[in-house]
Amino acid sequence: MAAKIEVLKNKVLSDNWFVLRNYTYQLEKADGSKVEHKREVYDRGNGATILLYNREKNSVVLIRQFRMATYVNGNRDGMLLEACAGLLDDDSPEDCIRKEAVEETGYVVGEVQKLFEAYMSPGGVTELIHFFAAEYHETLRSHAGGGVEDEDIEVLEIPFPEALEMVRDGRIKDGKTIMLLQHARLAGLLN
């Protein structure tokens, strides 16, 4: 059953890098009564992420980079270990992730597998992430990676069992990366 809402107010709070809006809306509940809510919604666009994996080596390629939001929320050095990802901008999800993989990791990806889509923080962020996986091989590496212009990305090849241990012990705290690693395990992509 679709929600019955009426938007009463839509105010732009910030239009700096992305758009932050304050919505006031009336929601009709299942019993017919109505309740009014006020919510801030951050629209940063949609994105895509990819797990690069190698069956022969039983390994994955992840990146480490500084993330300000984690720094202000208790991550002492602000560095986050994560799967390659990026915003769609005007690209399709698959085109986006192919471009990001080359820029961030140096690997040109061949066949990609679309896994699923997920809202990562639906209580206040509009972003829908498209999840992919692809095999990587040294023969597909075009350069060392590291990102573009203002990015400073470290590329890491990690044995799959170690990556899972890094989730367990807290060294990997990025939601999309955890989801991709768990999917790889459940789907039997790696051991």
Side-chain angles (χ1 to χ4, degrees):
M1 179 170 77
K4 296 178 183 175
I5 72 160
E6 179 184 353
V7 176
L8 304 173
K9 183 177 162 188
N10 174 357
K11 180 181 178 184
V12 174
L13 301 177
S14 174
D15 190 2
N16 189 13
W17 193 27
F18 299 110
V19 180
L20 177 63
R21 296 176 183 272
N22 183 291
Y23 287 95
T24 302
Y25 61 95
Q26 194 172 65
L27 176 68
E28 185 175 324
K29 295 168 47 173
D31 67 4
S33 64
K34 295 181 181 180
V35 62
E36 188 173 297
H37 291 167
K38 292 182 182 185
R39 297 291 186 269
E40 290 181 2
V41 176
Y42 189 53
D43 185 352
R44 53 173 273 117
N46 295 326
T49 186
I50 189 165
L51 181 66
L52 297 177
Y53 67 96
N54 183 296
R55 288 182 199 264
E56 278 181 34
K57 294 180 171 183
N58 198 38
S59 61
V60 295
V61 168
L62 300 178
I63 61 170
R64 184 186 324 272
Q65 65 181 320
F66 179 79
R67 296 297 196 180
M68 184 63 178
T70 74
Y71 178 77
V72 299
N73 194 26
N75 183 4
R76 281 193 351 241
D77 65 3
M79 300 302 285
L80 195 66
L81 190 56
E82 58 189 294
C84 173
L87 293 175
L88 300 184
D89 298 320
D90 294 324
D91 293 328
S92 72
E94 186 174 324
D95 288 343
C96 168
I97 208 54
R98 286 179 181 282
K99 179 177 71 176
E100 292 292 333
V102 171
E103 289 175 0
E104 293 184 0
T105 71
Y107 286 98
V108 177
V109 293
E111 182 180 338
V112 297
Q113 178 186 10
K114 175 80 180 267
L115 304 175
F116 51 86
E117 299 172 1
Y119 292 103
M120 298 303 290
S121 190
V125 181
T126 62
E127 183 179 44
L128 177 70
I129 301 287
H130 302 264
F131 288 75
F132 293 88
E135 288 204 59
Y136 74 90
H137 300 282
E138 286 306 315
T139 59
L140 299 175
R141 195 150 200 199
S142 65
H143 59 87
V148 295
E149 300 165 9
D150 64 343
E151 295 177 318
D152 184 21
I153 294 173
E154 179 184 4
V155 182
L156 302 166
E157 183 176 42
I158 302 171
F160 185 60
E162 184 180 341
L164 292 176
E165 182 58 33
M166 294 170 94
V167 171
R168 281 189 283 275
D169 69 21
R171 287 179 284 164
I172 294 178
K173 292 184 178 184
D174 176 61
K176 69 186 178 305
T177 304
I178 294 168
M179 292 168 70
L180 284 167
L181 293 170
Q182 292 297 331
H183 177 83
R185 183 176 187 170
L186 293 171
L189 297 177
L190 299 166
N191 299 314

